[in-house]
């Protein structure tokens, strides 16, 4: 049975941190972002500043109110590795998004000509468009994420993300670049191809970036009904379980709607999410940055080392 560390119990954190920090932060950042974008400010600059603010808020709250105090320790020396992932994937995401934008724009133009106008309701209120964009994007991201777990060739890339032995704010960026291609393009391409405004795509990017940090945070959250809407940290910690029957659940990146519909939502009431996470069946998995970059292409050697 999974037992929560009593020092990191949710009772140690104020009610605002436990239950309101996630929704208040997300709504506030999206509202501020929309205001500045509507005023004509550069979209990438707005996204960069507000994403940093989101990262900072989560990192600070982890230090003050940790769910598991031991997860605030760099005892595995993974902070250095995750920093390299952060820098490397930052450049990689920008490159992928640039290429994807061009491709999606071309497709959007052709679709608009075919249908006699844009397929995306750009005249709707921005908040409704963001909600709609999350649902549309999740319909692609859910299945891509599920394939990454259920198809061995995809898993060899996704295993990098699951190699972390603790969950904290920076773990949200521990991904192999091939994984980044799937998550970035899969999440945003449908809206872009349907002719979504760059401002809406920017807001979706901000939501997904900051929400990913909350999903992996070391904060004792209890968000109640939101666990039936968002893919929260309470749900996502089960996804990082060392038991594969638990890890192969809660695939949602932003929303949990497709897990509900497909029967993969998992949140047992009789125990807490695991405090021990990682790849228990791969004790010899490489933990260095460059070794992880090469690991999908040395997969047979890794499997042999773990026999």
């Amino acid at each position: 049975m999974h037992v929560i560390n009593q020092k990191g119990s949710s009772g140690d954190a104020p009610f605002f941190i436990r239950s309101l920090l996630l929704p208040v932060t997300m709504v506030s950042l999206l509202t501020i972002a929309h205001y500045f974008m509507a005023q004509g400010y550069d979209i990438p600059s707005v996204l960069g500043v507000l994403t940093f603010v989101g990262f900072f808020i989560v990192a600070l709250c982890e230090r003050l109110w940790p769910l598991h105090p031991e997860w605030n320790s760099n005892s595995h020396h993974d902070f250095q590795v995750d920093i390299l992932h952060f820098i490397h994937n930052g450049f990689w995401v920008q490159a992928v998004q640039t290429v994807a934008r061009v491709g999606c724009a071309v497709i959007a133009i052709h679709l608009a000509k075919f249908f006699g106008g844009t397929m995306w309701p750009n005249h709707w209120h921005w908040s409704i468009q963001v909600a709609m964009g999350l649902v549309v994007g999740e319909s692609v991201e859910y299945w891509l994420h599920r394939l990454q777990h259920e198809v061995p060739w995809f898993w060899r890339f996704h295993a990098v993300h699951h190699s972390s032995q603790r969950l904290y704010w920076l773990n949200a960026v521990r991904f192999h670049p091939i994984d980044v291609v799937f998550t970035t393009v899969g999440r945003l391409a449908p809206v872009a191809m349907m002719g979504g405004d760059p401002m809406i795509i920017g807001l979706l990017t901000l939501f997904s970036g900051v929400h990913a940090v909350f999903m992996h945070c070391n904060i004792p959250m209890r968000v109640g009904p939101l666990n039936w809407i968002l893919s929260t940290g309470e749900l996502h910690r089960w996804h990082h379980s060392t038991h594969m029957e638990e890890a192969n659940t809660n695939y949602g990146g932003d929303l949990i709607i497709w897990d509900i519909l497909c029967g993969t939502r998992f949140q047992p009431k009789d125990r807490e999410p695991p405090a021990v996470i990682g790849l228990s069946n791969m004790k010899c998995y490489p933990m260095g940055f460059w070794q992880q970059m090469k690991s999908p292409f040395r997969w047979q050697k890794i499997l042999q080392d773990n026999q």
Side-chain angles (χ1 to χ4, degrees):
M1 179 178 294
H2 301 295
V3 179
I4 195 169
N5 185 314
Q6 292 302 311
K7 288 186 177 181
S9 66
S10 60
D12 292 332
F15 173 78
F16 178 85
I17 300 299
R18 298 195 315 267
S19 303
L20 299 180
L21 180 66
L22 171 60
V24 169
T25 300
M26 298 306 302
V27 171
S28 298
L29 291 179
L30 288 175
T31 303
I32 294 170
H34 177 264
Y35 172 80
F36 282 106
M37 290 179 187
Q39 296 299 313
Y41 284 83
D42 179 62
I43 292 179
S45 299
V46 173
L47 296 181
V49 171
L50 293 182
T51 299
F52 173 81
V53 171
F55 273 53
F56 178 79
I57 290 172
V58 173
L60 177 62
C61 290
E62 281 186 355
R63 306 308 300 185
L64 297 176
W65 301 286
L67 172 66
H68 298 296
E70 65 273 18
W71 281 359
N72 277 350
S73 170
N74 189 31
S75 58
H76 298 290
H77 305 290
D78 53 353
F79 181 78
Q80 297 88 326
V81 174
D82 289 334
I83 283 291
L84 290 175
H85 278 290
F86 177 81
I87 296 172
H88 187 261
N89 284 335
F91 288 108
W92 184 254
V93 167
Q94 290 301 318
V96 170
Q97 286 183 338
T98 300
V99 175
R101 274 194 212 100
V102 175
C104 289
V106 172
I107 295 174
I109 291 172
H110 286 288
L111 288 176
K113 289 181 179 179
F114 181 81
F115 288 100
T118 178
M119 299 170 61
W120 188 258
N122 287 304
H123 58 286
W124 290 5
H125 192 274
W126 67 268
S127 61
I128 299 177
Q129 291 187 59
V130 168
M132 181 177 172
L134 290 173
V135 174
V136 172
E138 195 67 58
S139 66
V140 176
E141 186 174 4
Y142 170 86
W143 290 106
L144 289 176
H145 192 180
R146 189 164 176 175
L147 285 174
Q148 289 169 330
H149 278 253
E150 297 181 358
V151 177
W153 189 86
F154 288 111
W155 171 250
R156 64 174 63 185
F157 294 95
H158 194 57
V160 171
H161 180 63
H162 282 263
S163 65
S164 181
Q165 296 176 308
R166 60 171 174 151
L167 290 179
Y168 71 116
W169 67 277
L170 199 52
N171 183 236
V173 299
R174 179 184 284 216
F175 283 98
H176 194 278
I178 302 300
D179 243 3
V180 174
V181 173
F182 282 109
T183 56
T184 302
V185 176
R187 181 188 303 125
L188 300 176
V191 177
M193 288 189 292
M194 294 172 69
D197 189 276
M199 182 187 301
I200 298 302
I201 296 175
L203 292 174
L204 290 171
T205 301
L206 175 63
F207 185 99
S208 295
V210 176
H211 182 256
V213 185
F214 273 105
M215 284 175 65
H216 296 87
C217 73
N218 184 27
I219 302 173
M221 289 188 176
R222 291 290 185 270
V223 294
L226 280 181
N227 285 316
W228 290 94
I229 302 173
L230 301 178
S231 182
T232 64
E234 290 180 68
L235 298 172
H236 198 67
R237 279 193 286 276
W238 289 107
H239 183 73
H240 281 266
S241 171
T242 56
H243 302 288
M244 293 308 296
E245 67 274 12
E246 296 175 348
N248 291 340
T249 63
N250 300 337
Y251 293 112
D254 292 318
L255 306 180
I256 203 66
I257 179 174
W258 290 103
D259 285 286
I260 295 174
L261 294 175
C262 297
T264 52
R265 184 187 183 276
F266 183 72
Q267 189 183 25
K269 296 181 180 180
D270 62 337
R271 59 194 191 277
E272 295 289 346
V276 177
I277 65 168
L279 300 171
S280 63
N281 61 334
M282 301 188 74
K283 300 297 184 182
C284 296
Y285 189 84
M287 299 304 288
F289 174 76
W290 290 113
Q291 289 77 15
Q292 290 183 352
M293 292 297 97
K294 295 183 292 185
S295 62
F297 311 103
R298 302 180 62 254
W299 196 248
Q300 294 304 318
K301 177 65 166 59
I302 294 175
L303 293 180
Q304 291 174 6
D305 292 342
N306 281 277
Q307 290 179 351

